[in-house]
Amino acid sequence: QVRLVESGGGLVQAGGSLRLSCAASGRTFRNYDMGWFRQAPGKEREFVAGISWSGGNTFYADSVKGRFTISRDNALNTIYLQMNSLEPEDTAVYYCAAKYYSGSYYEDVNYRYWGQGTQVTVSS
């Protein structure tokens, strides 16, 4: 069992930055690949970024590549999403999620555990 709690969301102007954190409980955190997803009002949940259990491999949606950076600290049972050059289109509830080694990072059906989400609002 893994419990995930996101934090760090808020209101920011376009061009600004935010860093999201996701704290995980459980001794087996390092056994999981992790991902960030987001869901805007009226839209489906979409993949944002993913990171392998070791942190050695990262994956990004085209829409955030070059602006967002995912990282993890297994000693602290935490993953991060550094978001720079934010745009109004980035406004959404952001979720972190955990999956086992198998399955694509890009598909939410492969993730077993989810956090409750944190709101990010980017004003123009």
Side-chain angles (χ1 to χ4, degrees):
Q1 184 80 15
V2 176
R3 182 171 178 263
L4 304 172
V5 179
E6 302 96 336
S7 62
L11 173 64
V12 63
Q13 289 188 331
S17 299
L18 281 175
R19 188 176 83 152
L20 305 184
S21 300
C22 173
S25 64
R27 297 176 295 172
T28 59
F29 172 73
R30 60 174 53 84
N31 291 344
Y32 292 87
D33 298 329
M34 300 295 294
W36 285 99
F37 288 77
R38 67 186 181 187
Q39 187 166 21
K43 295 187 177 181
E44 294 187 353
R45 185 164 57 191
E46 64 174 359
F47 171 80
V48 175
I51 188 166
S52 61
W53 67 272
S54 67
N57 295 295
T58 57
F59 309 85
Y60 296 95
D62 288 342
S63 59
V64 307
K65 203 170 293 184
R67 300 188 298 124
F68 290 10
T69 302
I70 188 171
S71 61
R72 69 189 293 163
D73 187 334
N74 285 343
L76 295 179
N77 281 9
T78 303
I79 68 166
Y80 306 96
L81 186 68
Q82 178 65 45
M83 306 186 294
N84 298 329
S85 302
L86 283 162
E87 304 167 352
E89 293 73 23
D90 296 316
T91 295
V93 177
Y94 283 71
Y95 300 89
C96 69
K99 72 173 188 68
Y100 287 120
Y101 306 138
S102 63
S104 167
Y105 285 86
Y106 298 88
E107 299 176 11
D108 57 3
V109 294
N110 293 322
Y111 289 79
R112 182 169 184 177
Y113 301 107
W114 291 83
Q116 83 291 345
T118 185
Q119 176 70 47
V120 172
T121 302
V122 184
S123 63
S124 57

